Amino acid sequence: MRRDYMPRTKAAIYQEKGLFSFSIDSMLLEAYAEAEGRLLDLGCGSGYLAMAAYEAGAESVSAVDVEPAAVELLKKSAAENEMAIEVVCGDFRALSLEPFDTIWTNPPFYRRSLKNASEAVSKAKHLDADMHWFREAARLLRPGGKLYAVVDAASFQDVVCDLRGGDLALMHVRPVYWRRGEEARRILFSAKRGGGSFVHVDPPLYIYEGDHYTEEVASYYGR
């Protein structure tokens, strides 16, 4: 366990390097998403998104993860920063939770690639063969509720199928490129439970310009 700091706000956050620690993906999602009403950080890991949502002024914040070690990290961080975050350990498919207004999620990306020898790392990065993350997440949203996520671009077709299965309609999509001229690596998107059929494709986000962050991404770090 190590004690780190969140960019810009400098709130203390406890993490496990290489296992439960935030990445630029979570920072991209934080900048993209809106914190409205009762909010859930689904698959919270060390809790970066839950803490960011709390600081963004969500009405209330809850967080769920299947790994006890991740839950303990977030509880420790929330206590030190005096953040009133409800933290729950368990498989969200089996939990009984009141519907939320908003979900933020940076879920496991991979389903078919080779798994890490560590079971905990595999759970953090790989979906179970029978897991339909977004279809299952839909039941935790009230009608009209919104979900914001960052996913691997290569798996976006599976994501769209899951969304449809959960009556979640895409609202906005923003492709993320590491550099100009390359293929998109990530997709940021928002979806609405019971939403309409129109999709807005937002301008692309570029992470690097040369060897440095673009001006937009640098601002996420408070630079």
Side-chain angles (χ1 to χ4, degrees):
M1 180 191 298
R2 71 184 190 192
R3 185 176 183 273
D4 295 316
Y5 294 93
M6 296 175 66
R8 290 186 296 105
T9 66
K10 304 305 180 185
I13 181 169
Y14 288 90
Q15 307 196 100
E16 289 285 353
K17 186 176 181 180
L19 182 56
F20 303 116
S21 57
F22 72 86
S23 67
I24 193 170
D25 291 340
S26 292
M27 295 179 65
L28 297 177
L29 181 56
E30 172 198 358
Y32 179 77
E34 296 180 3
E36 300 175 322
R38 297 183 62 253
L39 187 146
L40 174 66
D41 177 1
L42 185 58
C44 64
S46 62
Y48 176 91
L49 288 172
M51 294 170 65
Y54 183 91
E55 293 186 319
E59 179 183 315
S60 67
V61 178
S62 299
V64 171
D65 202 284
V66 72
E67 282 294 321
V71 166
E72 290 307 311
L73 288 170
L74 177 50
K75 286 181 177 179
K76 187 174 179 66
S77 298
E80 180 164 330
N81 293 287
E82 298 183 341
M83 295 179 174
I85 298 173
E86 178 190 30
V87 189
V88 180
C89 185
D91 185 330
F92 71 90
R93 293 173 291 183
L95 295 175
S96 178
L97 300 170
E98 290 295 317
F100 293 89
D101 300 299
T102 308
I103 291 175
W104 288 9
T105 185
N106 176 10
F109 285 164
Y110 307 111
R111 192 184 295 274
R112 301 176 185 90
S113 60
L114 292 174
K115 293 186 177 182
N116 192 284
S118 166
E119 183 177 352
V121 172
S122 290
K123 283 185 178 180
K125 298 181 181 297
H126 292 78
L127 289 167
D128 293 339
D130 64 343
M131 168 62 88
H132 296 280
W133 188 274
F134 295 101
R135 189 185 307 175
E136 298 287 351
R139 72 176 183 83
L140 300 178
L141 270 180
R142 64 167 178 78
K146 297 177 183 178
L147 179 146
Y148 297 87
V150 57
V151 297
D152 183 46
S155 64
F156 194 53
Q157 185 167 228
D158 289 340
V159 170
V160 172
C161 289
D162 268 5
L163 293 172
R164 288 174 177 166
D167 191 28
L168 289 167
L170 279 171
M171 297 171 58
H172 285 265
V173 175
R174 188 177 192 189
V176 179
Y177 301 81
W178 261 226
R179 290 178 174 82
R180 294 179 186 274
E182 299 181 353
E183 291 187 0
R185 299 274 196 95
R186 299 286 185 266
I187 300 289
L188 291 161
F189 72 86
S190 62
K192 184 176 182 179
R193 186 174 182 194
S197 58
F198 292 99
V199 181
H200 302 273
V201 179
D202 298 323
L205 171 59
Y206 297 100
I207 303 298
Y208 295 104
E209 189 167 346
D211 294 329
H212 303 283
Y213 287 131
T214 58
E215 184 176 345
E216 180 177 355
V217 173
S219 71
Y220 301 164
Y221 288 90
R223 299 174 184 173

